[in-house]
Amino acid sequence: MNSFVISTSSFDTGNNPAIQRLLQQGFQVITNPHKRKLTEDEIIELLSGGATGLIAGIEPLTGRVLQSAPNLKVISRCGAGMDSVDLAAAKNHGIQVLNTPEAPAQAVAELTLGYILSLLRQIGTIDRAVRNGEWPRTQGRLLAAQTVGVIGLGHIGRRVARLCQAFEATVIAHDPFATQVPGGVTLVPLEQLLATADIITLHTSYSADTHHLLNVKAFAAMKPEVIVINAARGGLIDESALADALKSGKVSATALDVFEQEPYQGALLEFSNITLTSHVGSLARESRQRMEIEAAENLVQGLIKAGLINNG
């Protein structure tokens, strides 16, 4: 019997027409029993039954994983990022790799805007103080008065830029590969962005070239009291360097949705001027539904291309 794996921590199979189509054609679905990000060994085990398709989360799909799954023909990422997939190994094994770059973009962009507004007005800090019996008269800052530096002008970065412009902020951006630049956004070198932005938000892909893009040197180049946001990939920031920048006051506040090791248990938990969330960037109901439907449709199209189901 043909089978496919859904490795994401959750997935609504019942309201997904493409999944229902596969089930009606005799496919068996194997889901993630751990309800969290899988390890290499765990995804190998899920694929060990001879699955031909995979709707993937952010588990490491390494060469070792792909080597262990000789029947696998299609990987359909439920999300935009491809850094968790060894694309060279997939090509060598004849595995199609697809993703859903547009579906999560609005959700991540809106979460980023939420971080920006919350940190500028210190909403979380004030909330905790009020609950402790205090009544602080804390003075925040206006987004309209800030220069926002967007690193990465892909589907998400462009949306973040436009949302910030709606609040009358000045927006600059760095992206050497940008093909679309929103009107009013100025492209600048990374060094200039670091030196002039009041808020720096990361929306670039993760690779060996962008590993620890924000490191000790980068934090030293930033303006005093800068706000730093990362809703892209954890490896983009040197977390130890960020902790030092928070201690020194160079970074006045930060918001992180992603970490090098997840679930996160590190030293940044000790800081009060930081907002931490559990990799929920795409988890807006409407975006999640769209991601799942598009990922399943991509899987079906990939299986059709591989000759494993009929296009009918």
Side-chain angles (χ1 to χ4, degrees):
M1 177 183 291
N2 282 326
S3 65
F4 64 96
V5 168
I6 300 177
S7 62
T8 56
S9 58
S10 64
F11 198 97
D12 183 4
T13 58
N15 294 299
N16 192 307
I19 296 295
Q20 294 306 308
R21 175 182 175 181
L22 290 173
L23 295 177
Q24 289 164 9
Q25 294 204 18
F27 277 76
Q28 177 187 5
V29 58
I30 301 164
T31 57
N32 178 346
H34 305 284
K35 306 303 180 185
R36 56 163 170 75
K37 177 183 174 181
L38 299 175
T39 64
E40 262 190 279
D41 288 339
E42 288 166 346
I43 186 61
I44 286 172
E45 183 179 354
L46 279 192
L47 292 169
S48 65
T52 55
L54 167 63
I55 294 179
I58 54 172
E59 66 281 344
L61 297 176
T62 62
R64 174 173 168 252
V65 172
L66 302 184
Q67 178 72 35
S68 76
N71 294 329
L72 189 62
K73 301 301 180 187
V74 185
I75 295 170
S76 177
R77 272 280 291 116
C78 189
M82 303 284 266
D83 53 281
S84 59
V85 185
D86 186 331
L87 296 175
K91 184 177 181 179
N92 288 339
H93 290 288
I95 300 170
Q96 302 170 65
V97 183
L98 309 162
N99 66 341
T100 61
E102 188 67 32
Q106 188 67 22
V108 179
E110 289 190 13
L111 179 67
T112 300
L113 184 68
Y115 288 148
I116 291 172
L117 295 173
S118 179
L119 294 177
L120 284 172
R121 299 302 298 271
Q122 301 181 50
I123 294 171
T125 302
I126 296 170
D127 170 75
R128 289 189 292 273
V130 171
R131 292 174 188 274
N132 288 331
E134 303 170 37
W135 197 252
R137 305 294 293 156
T138 304
Q139 182 170 272
R141 290 186 280 169
L142 291 178
L143 177 50
Q146 312 305 312
T147 295
V148 179
V150 180
I151 299 178
L153 276 180
H155 295 279
I156 297 169
R158 292 195 299 270
R159 279 174 164 77
V160 171
R162 289 193 290 265
L163 288 172
C164 291
Q165 286 176 316
F167 281 77
E168 301 180 9
T170 299
V171 180
I172 59 177
H174 173 73
D175 188 336
F177 308 105
T179 56
Q180 300 178 48
V181 181
V185 174
T186 304
L187 281 176
V188 299
L190 180 60
E191 295 76 13
Q192 184 178 340
L193 185 147
L194 296 175
T196 57
D198 302 297
I199 300 165
I200 295 172
T201 180
L202 293 168
H203 302 289
T204 190
S205 59
Y206 176 74
S207 67
D209 292 334
T210 57
H211 175 70
H212 288 183
L213 183 66
L214 299 190
N215 53 22
V216 172
K217 183 180 177 181
F219 285 115
M222 294 177 192
K223 293 178 67 172
E225 299 187 329
V226 66
I227 288 173
V228 173
I229 292 168
N230 187 11
R233 284 291 184 264
L236 296 172
I237 293 182
D238 179 339
E239 292 167 359
S240 176
L242 174 59
D244 289 341
L246 285 164
K247 286 177 186 175
S248 70
K250 170 57 76 84
V251 174
S252 64
T254 189
L256 304 176
D257 187 46
V258 289
F259 307 87
E260 292 203 71
Q261 295 295 325
E262 298 178 3
Y264 181 72
Q265 300 292 334
L268 292 170
L269 296 172
E270 302 169 9
F271 291 88
S272 60
N273 55 339
I274 184 169
T275 297
L276 307 173
T277 51
S278 51
H279 207 138
V280 297
S282 65
L283 297 184
R285 182 181 304 159
E286 299 84 356
S287 287
R288 183 67 192 185
Q289 288 173 343
R290 181 178 172 186
M291 281 172 60
E292 292 184 1
I293 288 170
E294 287 187 10
E297 289 173 346
N298 284 346
L299 176 62
V300 167
Q301 292 305 312
L303 291 172
I304 290 171
K305 185 176 180 181
L308 295 171
I309 59 175
N310 296 324
N311 187 13

